[in-house]
Amino acid sequence: MSKSENEEFFQQRQQLIISAAKVCFSQSGFHGASMADISRESGLGAGQIYRYFESKELIVSETIKSIAVNWRLFLQNNLPRQSSTADIINTESGFWQDWPYQDRCLLLEMYSEASRNQAVRAVLAQEEQLLITELETSLCQQSPGVSDQQCNERIQFLLMLVDGVACRAFGDNTLDHREKGRINGILSHHLFG
């Protein structure tokens, strides 16, 4: 096997382990899932897993990086297409269709971990800054009469809204649809109007 084939195989195995870890972490949390769970889900023995990751903490860290990057890319692709908040606050809308249930669970777990782990907070901050930079380019061009400060404030508010919906609304089906519509009208007017 050539060096590049070896590296590719190594990366494929790491991705297999991270994918298995995501399944386990979405079901039991970062601290509740065991190496035995990850081993079972990946189909690899524990010894094989340790060839690719020195510890469970490293698997958690790499999984968090993967989740954070996927969340950034999801928002980077979907937020610039919005002209109102209706699809953002409606968890059944097309806006959310590419963010599966497992990823919703992982996002909540990641934010929870960030509250107690500085390294996770740093990863999230880095990905958020990349997202903001990209959104400033795309969203501010869509609103040429808006100052840079106003654009940045709108982006910050949109991110709070998306994070709030991702963390709260998926589990709450009791929200009044008329009230959601009223709130959407207010938000859309101020953010996009």
Side-chain angles (χ1 to χ4, degrees), residues 148-179:
D148 289 345
Q149 180 179 349
Q150 288 173 316
C151 185
N152 187 275
E153 289 170 354
R154 288 179 179 183
I155 290 169
Q156 293 296 331
F157 189 83
L158 280 170
L159 293 179
M160 284 191 302
L161 180 63
V162 168
D163 285 344
V165 170
C167 292
R168 295 270 319 179
F170 287 107
D172 188 353
N173 294 325
T174 62
L175 298 174
D176 182 283
H177 291 288
R178 284 191 316 240
E179 183 63 7

Side-chain angles (χ1 to χ4, degrees), residues 10 12 16 43 64 69 85 104 111 126 169 174-176:
F10 189 85
Q12 287 174 349
L16 172 69
I64 287 171
V69 167
T85 58
R104 295 171 192 172
Y111 282 140
Q126 178 183 358
T174 62
L175 298 174
D176 182 283

Side-chain angles (χ1 to χ4, degrees), residues 73-82 94-96 98 135:
L73 293 174
F74 171 78
L75 294 176
Q76 192 173 305
N77 289 329
N78 288 300
L79 280 176
R81 297 185 206 157
Q82 299 306 304
F95 180 86
W96 293 104
D98 294 331
L135 291 177

Side-chain angles (χ1 to χ4, degrees), residues 22-53:
K22 283 181 175 181
V23 171
C24 297
F25 295 152
S26 71
Q27 294 169 354
S28 303
F30 292 132
H31 302 290
S34 68
M35 286 300 286
D37 295 331
I38 296 169
S39 175
R40 191 172 28 262
E41 184 67 33
S42 69
L44 300 174
Q48 290 176 298
I49 291 175
Y50 284 116
R51 287 184 200 155
Y52 302 99
F53 294 99

Side-chain angles (χ1 to χ4, degrees), residues 84-181:
S84 86
T85 58
D87 285 342
I88 295 171
I89 62 176
N90 177 6
T91 58
E92 302 299 320
S93 74
F95 180 86
W96 293 104
Q97 74 183 7
D98 294 331
W99 194 252
Y101 180 77
Q102 175 183 302
D103 292 346
R104 295 171 192 172
C105 295
L106 290 168
L107 189 65
L108 290 172
E109 187 68 20
M110 181 179 70
Y111 282 140
S112 176
E113 187 66 19
S115 71
R116 58 185 172 264
N117 184 321
Q118 177 60 35
V120 174
R121 280 194 300 275
V123 167
L124 294 181
Q126 178 183 358
E127 290 301 320
E128 184 174 284
Q129 190 52 56
L130 290 171
L131 175 61
I132 289 170
T133 299
E134 177 63 32
L135 291 177
E136 284 174 341
T137 300
S138 58
L139 292 179
C140 293
Q141 287 176 353
Q142 292 175 7
S143 303
V146 174
S147 73
D148 289 345
Q149 180 179 349
Q150 288 173 316
C151 185
N152 187 275
E153 289 170 354
R154 288 179 179 183
I155 290 169
Q156 293 296 331
F157 189 83
L158 280 170
L159 293 179
M160 284 191 302
L161 180 63
V162 168
D163 285 344
V165 170
C167 292
R168 295 270 319 179
F170 287 107
D172 188 353
N173 294 325
T174 62
L175 298 174
D176 182 283
H177 291 288
R178 284 191 316 240
E179 183 63 7
K180 280 173 56 174

